Amino acid sequence: MTEKPYTVLPYQDFLRSPLFSGINTFDCGDDDLNDFLKSDAESYHQRKLASTHIVCSDTDIVGFFTLVTDCMHSQRIQTSDSINDYPYMKYPAVKIARLAINLPYQNQGNGSWCIKRIFIALSRFSELAAFRFITVDAKNSDEVIRFYSKFGFRPATQKRTEETLPMYIDYFALFKYVTK
């Protein structure tokens, strides 16, 4: 993994950071993601609805990602990913609810760096709570879908909407690959 001189701060630590004063200058080019960071991330964090992590350089906000718990209906996964003797209709999952990179830091590998950091964080989390899949509702653009696909995310067996394409990756298979 290419090391970058970044720090990942949980939202509660970011609130105390000198960089918090620059939150209103964050712009990833997507109004919904910008608004979430500026208006909703703190409230969601306080109410335990989402866990947002801010990626920072020494002087700037590089980006952020938000994780939430999720479930994956057994009919939405591809047959090759199903578990024959699993008796439940839904599998436990963790969702990448949001991932955004500040415009000055885009197209420099920072989104990929964040995905790899998420995988590392989830490998630690998996020791505390089990989940089988990592999910994402990818923005409905070829560029975004290609981005997630290069990490092994696959389309769920549900059709894309105008806004998103549900995608997932089998964490168990990923974990076995990463720990070899």
Side-chain angles (χ1 to χ4, degrees), residues 75-134:
Q75 294 175 339
R76 289 182 60 200
I77 64 170
Q78 297 182 19
T79 306
S80 60
D81 291 326
S82 65
I83 302 168
N84 292 336
D85 61 348
Y86 189 68
Y88 303 104
M89 292 299 295
K90 296 180 180 176
Y91 293 98
V94 174
K95 178 176 276 201
I96 302 171
R98 288 166 188 83
L99 171 61
I101 303 298
N102 207 349
L103 284 171
Y105 295 92
Q106 290 182 6
N107 301 310
Q108 300 172 36
N110 292 314
S112 296
W113 187 89
C114 287
I115 290 289
K116 292 171 186 173
R117 290 290 168 202
I118 289 168
F119 289 168
I120 290 168
L122 291 179
S123 72
R124 293 180 189 127
F125 178 71
S126 71
E127 297 298 318
L128 301 172
F131 61 93
R132 182 60 187 240
F133 297 101
I134 303 170

Side-chain angles (χ1 to χ4, degrees), residues 17-36:
S17 162
L19 293 175
F20 181 72
S21 63
I23 194 168
N24 287 324
T25 64
F26 181 87
D27 182 8
C28 68
D30 182 299
D31 290 340
D32 289 336
L33 291 170
N34 293 336
D35 185 59
F36 175 80

Side-chain angles (χ1 to χ4, degrees), residues 1-179:
M1 173 184 322
T2 303
E3 279 307 311
K4 295 192 179 273
Y6 300 150
T7 303
V8 178
L9 295 176
Y11 199 85
Q12 70 271 14
D13 293 345
F14 174 66
L15 290 170
R16 295 186 294 273
S17 162
L19 293 175
F20 181 72
S21 63
I23 194 168
N24 287 324
T25 64
F26 181 87
D27 182 8
C28 68
D30 182 299
D31 290 340
D32 289 336
L33 291 170
N34 293 336
D35 185 59
F36 175 80
L37 180 62
K38 297 170 186 176
S39 303
D40 298 326
E42 182 176 3
S43 170
Y44 278 43
H45 171 78
Q46 290 172 345
R47 295 183 294 155
K48 303 297 182 203
L49 298 173
S51 178
T52 297
H53 303 267
I54 313 300
V55 179
C56 303
S57 69
D58 289 338
T59 59
D60 204 3
I61 301 168
V62 174
F64 73 94
F65 58 87
T66 302
L67 303 174
V68 298
T69 56
D70 195 13
C71 63
M72 187 77 172
H73 198 285
S74 60
Q75 294 175 339
R76 289 182 60 200
I77 64 170
Q78 297 182 19
T79 306
S80 60
D81 291 326
S82 65
I83 302 168
N84 292 336
D85 61 348
Y86 189 68
Y88 303 104
M89 292 299 295
K90 296 180 180 176
Y91 293 98
V94 174
K95 178 176 276 201
I96 302 171
R98 288 166 188 83
L99 171 61
I101 303 298
N102 207 349
L103 284 171
Y105 295 92
Q106 290 182 6
N107 301 310
Q108 300 172 36
N110 292 314
S112 296
W113 187 89
C114 287
I115 290 289
K116 292 171 186 173
R117 290 290 168 202
I118 289 168
F119 289 168
I120 290 168
L122 291 179
S123 72
R124 293 180 189 127
F125 178 71
S126 71
E127 297 298 318
L128 301 172
F131 61 93
R132 182 60 187 240
F133 297 101
I134 303 170
T135 62
V136 63
D137 290 336
K139 294 271 185 186
N140 195 359
S141 81
D142 291 339
E143 179 183 9
V144 173
I145 292 167
R146 270 193 311 274
F147 172 78
Y148 285 108
S149 295
K150 76 179 180 182
F151 293 100
F153 284 86
R154 300 164 45 159
T157 57
Q158 159 182 337
K159 293 184 178 166
R160 72 170 67 177
T161 67
E162 287 183 29
E163 304 263 330
T164 63
L165 174 66
M167 299 181 80
Y168 72 95
I169 188 171
D170 182 343
Y171 175 74
F172 184 71
L174 174 69
F175 184 75
K176 287 192 322 188
Y177 172 76
V178 170
T179 57

